[in-house]
Amino acid sequence: MLKKHIHQFLLSQGYTISYATVCSYIKNIESYKEKKKGEAFIRLFHEPGCIAEFNWDAVLLFIDGIKTKFYLAVFTFGHSNGRYAYLFRHQNTLAFMESHRNFFRDIHDVSAMMIYDNMRVAVKSFVGGDKKPTEALMKMSGFYCFGYRFCNIRIGWEKGHVERSVEYVRKKAFCLTDHFSDIRSAQEHLSRICMQVNNEQGSLSTAEKSSRLEADLPLLKPLPGNLDCFKVYEYIVDK
């Protein structure tokens, strides 16, 4: 029955009611049903040292007075929400490899599992429902002995820690200070901010942050060394 049919039926039953009232009543019922169909999100909890999440984002900085676009590589622990970030001029395979080398070198260990979205530097191709990792990711996984997992397409909350961390770190580090003499000083500033963020205890949500990060670090896998970051090209010399 359409709304006008319902209104006519009610009038035939002896009720005195306007058509606008019928429409308003039905609209309220439909809106209530739509709310009930809303998605539910369950917050994930991870054991210490279990996973770390990775993501990129762009940031504009002034280097020696010149406005320059950089890419922010951010790592976040799933248990403690400890954050580490690194600046790169490009969002390519070598930057992807070097960011991991820097992260593992800074924490002196390796996370057992790395979480990625469907970025090109991590996913080489999609075969059916399976995702084939890139050669760089397989090389890093084999050298550092960590596992990896990809999020489902357009399901960002599967790595929600780092999704929020990228924006948080970018604003925390560069909302007030975005002029630097060179990229080295910008990275040093970014590292200091990350250290402050990892040790902050200014609210109930951050009261146990330091202790949770301290619980993460001892349970990480041992660092086998520093991976060399390079790409090999083969050429044939002509006459």
Side-chain angles (χ1 to χ4, degrees):
M1 297 175 68
L2 299 177
K3 295 174 184 177
K4 63 179 181 180
H5 298 147
I6 296 174
H7 179 237
Q8 292 172 358
F9 176 77
L10 291 173
L11 293 178
S12 68
Q13 296 297 314
Y15 293 99
T16 303
I17 188 171
S18 69
Y19 177 68
T21 302
V22 172
C23 293
S24 177
Y25 182 80
I26 295 174
K27 184 178 180 180
N28 289 336
I29 294 177
E30 290 175 344
S31 62
Y32 176 74
K33 288 181 178 180
E34 289 178 359
K35 289 180 181 179
K36 291 185 68 176
K37 292 180 181 179
E39 293 179 304
F41 298 90
I42 301 174
R43 184 175 181 178
L44 299 177
F45 292 89
H46 301 282
E47 295 295 328
C50 178
I51 71 162
E53 303 170 2
F54 173 82
N55 204 9
W56 293 103
D57 200 8
V59 59
L60 294 175
L61 301 177
F62 291 88
I63 304 297
D64 196 21
I66 300 176
K67 191 175 183 179
T68 309
K69 184 177 182 178
F70 288 93
Y71 292 96
L72 199 62
V74 180
F75 295 84
T76 305
F77 283 120
H79 171 71
S80 63
N81 227 25
R83 300 174 172 106
Y84 300 82
Y86 307 93
L87 288 169
F88 292 93
R89 289 298 305 273
H90 304 283
Q91 192 178 347
N92 56 16
T93 296
L94 290 179
F96 180 60
M97 296 173 67
E98 189 174 343
S99 65
H100 284 69
R101 184 197 65 183
N102 294 349
F103 172 57
F104 295 143
R105 183 178 58 192
D106 287 349
I107 64 176
H108 308 293
D109 286 301
V110 178
S111 176
M113 177 70 67
M114 295 297 302
I115 311 297
Y116 306 98
D117 59 18
N118 299 280
M119 57 186 69
R120 292 182 180 179
V121 290
V123 180
K124 181 178 180 179
S125 61
F126 296 83
V127 181
D130 297 329
K131 300 166 188 175
K132 186 176 181 180
T134 58
E135 183 179 345
L137 179 55
M138 293 180 66
K139 182 178 179 180
M140 290 193 299
S141 175
F143 181 85
Y144 289 113
C145 299
F146 65 77
Y148 53 85
R149 189 172 77 237
F150 300 115
C151 297
N152 290 307
I153 298 176
R154 294 185 294 275
I155 309 295
W157 59 80
E158 291 186 352
K159 58 179 180 60
H161 294 89
V162 76
E163 288 287 341
R164 296 294 302 274
S165 292
V166 170
E167 181 181 1
Y168 182 80
V169 169
R170 183 183 61 201
K171 290 184 177 180
K172 196 81 171 179
F174 302 120
C175 67
L176 298 177
T177 306
D178 60 356
H179 285 70
F180 302 93
S181 58
D182 51 39
I183 187 173
R184 183 185 295 272
S185 58
Q187 179 60 56
E188 291 174 350
H189 169 74
L190 177 60
S191 297
R192 285 195 301 269
I193 294 298
C194 287
M195 188 176 296
Q196 293 175 12
V197 168
N198 291 338
N199 292 302
E200 64 184 356
Q201 296 184 0
S203 64
L204 292 175
S205 61
T206 59
E208 300 180 356
K209 192 165 187 177
S210 296
S211 60
R212 292 172 69 88
L213 184 58
E214 291 173 0
D216 263 328
L217 298 178
L219 296 177
L220 298 173
K221 302 178 69 173
L223 180 68
N226 292 317
L227 176 68
D228 293 328
C229 302
F230 61 89
K231 292 180 70 175
V232 177
Y233 298 93
E234 294 184 4
Y235 295 95
I236 298 176
V237 181
D238 58 16
K239 293 182 180 180

